[in-house]
Amino acid sequence: MTDLNPTLQPIFDEILARNPGETEFHQATRELLDSMGPVVRRHPEYTDAAIIRRICEPERQIIFRVPWVDDAGQVQLNRGFRVEFNSALGPYKGGLRFHPSVYLGIVKFLGFEQIFKNALTGMPIGGGKGGSDFDPKGRSDAEVMRFCQSFMTELYRHIGEYTDVPAGDIGVGGREIGYLFGQYKRITNRYESGVLTGKGIGWGGSLVRTEATGYGTVYFANEILKARKSSFEGKTVVISGSGNVAIYAAEKAIELGATVVACSDSSGYVVDEKGLDLALLKDVKEVRRERLSAYADERESARFVAGSPTTSVWDVPCDIALPCATQNELDGDHALALVRNGCTVVAEGANMPCTPDAVKVLTEAGVAFAPGKAANAGGVATSALEMQQNASRDSWSFAHTEERLEQIMVGIHARCLETADAYGVPGNYVAGANIAGFIQVADAMLALGVI
Ligand code: NDP
């Protein structure tokens, strides 16, 4: 890690002291501050108004009890979170994550990233994130429903289409959004479609929202390739995860002519040299909700490597790597393996999947590296398109919505490069994304006064 600018070091020291034990939040704030040197030199007004200090402090943090009854009649207890981080640009916007690892530090890192990601989309949305340490794995539909109902029984009082608009994330897909929306509607007696995004198509959802994060990540990677006079055609791609983001990143990469040879889940990874059979993968993961080994059991060309964490998928040689599982899943050693095997582009579909060491290795080796806050912004951008459709009581075609998504991703890519150039760090997507997102939020905060 490089030394911070003398204006920024005390800010980081304060973050460490005020948020003890929240390692992922420290990592995310540090990564932003690492890009802020040229910004504080050029814009003393941000320092005078304590913008960076304020932006690193959530506007509101809500932690609540979520009791629910399992199928055996036992009372279960979980903890719920919603961190409303920044509303300078619009209502708080960001997903809900249900995973046993969820605690305040993870929700705050995700909410923090969301502020700048949302700004980069150019849409009027602030940043927030939430979730619970509830583990939906192995739970019946009825248990998931009772959990979601209890979760919303507290959350409803904090959200609203002009206040805070949650969506899905790890462990929260269409089924969970349905149960959450149903309970919100029941408690408030309002059919307020715009309060949640990721809804089903028949009841206020947007076409392309399911595909948006994965497709958007591939569109972003495609722009990187175009800038290098290349394309996805004929390339070998490795993807981590096999959830929402991973599946649709694979779908778009295949559509653009690539072969996706591996993906993973938390039980291991599959290698399929013939290229993933997406219909089978979707059936195993989206319909049957089974472990990834079931895919290899049913496909002759595939083998399953069990027991290893999702990260070992990075040993599989590829031209393009798309980490789409979870934070800190790709470390320095994995990055070295990618470089050794000739990988030239890494685009983050997940949030902060690459450790700082990994980013350093990749960047020093000349691998184009796209951070999640830029590369995976297609999901939240399409959520904002869902909000637009809800507000106008309209529903757009798949083709129109996908065209909007592609334009947004092309725009974010251009903005990252232009900003990186303007601040003396040409070609650096991390700095470009951080600076462009930050400046948009900082200017709005300056205009709104000390609030
Ligand atoms: P899903 O729950 O649909 O899929 C997550 C995938 O990652 C699963 O394959 C899961 O394996 C794997 N995974 C999750 N946690 C771990 C872990 N601790 N160790 C190993 N593997 C893990 O989530 P999404 O696809 O929606 O989200 C994936 C990433 O993308 C997250 O970082 C999320 O924040 C980010 N993201 C998602 C957006 C969206 O629109 N959904 C938008 C922007 C970013 P298993 O099934 O075994 O748990």
Side-chain angles (χ1 to χ4, degrees):
M1 221 176 262
T2 50
D3 285 345
L4 276 174
N5 173 302
T7 312
L8 298 168
Q9 186 62 50
I11 298 177
F12 190 57
D13 292 342
E14 185 183 50
I15 291 168
L16 295 178
R18 284 169 74 87
N19 306 279
E22 298 175 0
T23 50
E24 296 83 0
F25 180 56
H26 301 162
Q27 188 182 333
T29 49
R30 174 68 200 223
E31 192 242 322
L32 182 95
L33 294 181
D34 276 335
S35 302
M36 287 295 114
V39 178
V40 291
R41 280 194 291 276
R42 196 178 295 184
H43 296 282
E45 69 276 20
Y46 296 151
T47 309
D48 294 345
I51 294 286
I52 299 183
R53 288 179 63 211
R54 283 197 273 149
I55 228 168
C56 293
E57 180 75 13
E59 290 178 13
R60 191 174 298 106
Q61 308 181 53
I62 302 144
I63 303 180
F64 51 98
R65 179 169 74 191
V66 190
W68 56 282
V69 180
D70 68 16
D71 286 347
Q74 298 293 313
V75 174
Q76 299 286 337
L77 181 64
N78 287 97
R79 186 171 282 179
F81 301 88
R82 187 71 184 166
V83 172
E84 298 181 332
F85 224 117
N86 195 297
S87 60
L89 298 181
Y92 310 105
K93 182 87 197 85
L96 298 171
R97 175 177 293 191
F98 292 168
H99 192 272
S101 63
V102 166
Y103 78 108
L104 190 58
I106 286 192
V107 181
K108 279 167 70 175
F109 120 65
L110 290 164
F112 185 73
E113 293 272 296
Q114 200 80 48
I115 303 169
F116 310 102
K117 178 190 309 194
N118 294 4
L120 282 172
T121 66
M123 323 287 274
I125 40 179
K129 199 84 187 188
S132 173
D133 56 1
F134 171 70
D135 187 357
K137 271 201 206 87
R139 292 292 177 188
S140 69
D141 282 356
E143 288 178 316
V144 171
M145 181 183 74
R146 287 195 293 274
F147 172 80
C148 288
Q149 290 179 338
S150 180
F151 185 85
M152 185 53 86
T153 300
E154 171 59 32
L155 187 70
Y156 90 94
R157 69 188 84 242
H158 306 290
I159 63 175
E161 63 181 320
Y162 297 109
T163 313
D164 183 354
V165 184
D169 191 81
I170 291 177
V172 178
R175 173 182 63 170
E176 291 75 17
I177 293 292
Y179 296 148
L180 291 164
F181 184 65
Q183 185 72 350
Y184 182 85
K185 188 177 80 59
R186 183 188 190 196
I187 295 174
T188 59
N189 193 28
R190 285 159 66 90
Y191 204 104
E192 189 185 334
S193 302
V195 71
L196 286 171
T197 58
K199 298 180 295 296
I201 299 307
W203 42 278
S206 172
L207 289 167
V208 190
R209 177 60 190 91
T210 303
E211 296 84 356
T213 309
Y215 278 20
T217 302
V218 171
Y219 281 134
F220 196 97
N222 200 33
E223 289 305 296
I224 297 177
L225 288 162
K226 278 195 215 162
R228 296 183 159 207
K229 310 259 174 294
S230 183
S231 74
F232 267 94
E233 189 66 47
K235 297 290 190 303
T236 299
V237 176
V238 166
I239 298 182
S240 63
S242 49
N244 172 265
V245 180
I247 286 176
Y248 292 96
E251 185 164 281
K252 186 52 74 179
I254 293 166
E255 199 183 305
L256 295 182
T259 306
V260 182
V261 293
C263 69
S264 65
D265 69 9
S266 55
S267 68
Y269 64 98
V270 288
V271 186
D272 189 339
E273 300 295 352
K274 279 198 171 159
L276 289 180
D277 175 343
L278 262 191
L280 175 59
L281 184 65
K282 285 183 184 179
D283 187 47
V284 169
K285 299 305 289 190
E286 290 185 332
V287 182
R288 288 146 52 186
R289 296 177 189 271
E290 286 179 354
R291 306 279 70 204
L292 204 48
S293 54
Y295 174 95
D297 291 344
E298 293 169 40
R299 177 128 164 119
E300 214 172 299
S301 56
R303 69 190 158 86
F304 178 68
V305 182
S308 51
T310 178
T311 45
S312 32
V313 76
W314 307 121
D315 291 334
V316 180
C318 65
D319 303 306
I320 299 161
L322 304 175
C324 296
T326 194
Q327 65 278 350
N328 292 328
E329 52 156 313
L330 196 164
D331 65 18
D333 289 339
H334 303 120
L336 282 171
L338 287 171
V339 171
R340 247 192 330 268
N341 287 329
C343 175
T344 57
V345 175
V346 175
E348 293 186 329
N351 286 310
M352 210 169 72
C354 296
T355 66
D357 277 354
V359 177
K360 189 164 180 283
V361 168
L362 296 171
T363 313
E364 284 176 3
V367 174
F369 172 72
K373 64 169 76 71
N376 71 34
V380 73
T382 309
S383 277
L385 299 179
E386 182 174 332
M387 291 162 74
Q388 276 186 31
Q389 292 169 75
N390 294 152
S392 59
R393 303 274 186 268
D394 200 358
S395 50
W396 305 342
S397 70
F398 195 97
H400 173 72
T401 316
E402 194 185 357
E403 199 183 313
R404 294 280 310 264
L405 168 66
E406 186 176 3
Q407 282 165 358
I408 290 167
M409 297 314 297
V410 169
I412 296 173
H413 176 267
R415 207 167 151 198
C416 288
L417 282 190
E418 283 158 16
T419 309
D421 265 354
Y423 280 81
V425 273
N428 186 328
Y429 288 101
V430 174
N434 283 335
I435 296 172
F438 173 83
I439 286 181
Q440 182 154 352
V441 181
D443 286 346
M445 287 175 72
L446 274 182
L448 298 178
V450 182
I451 52 170

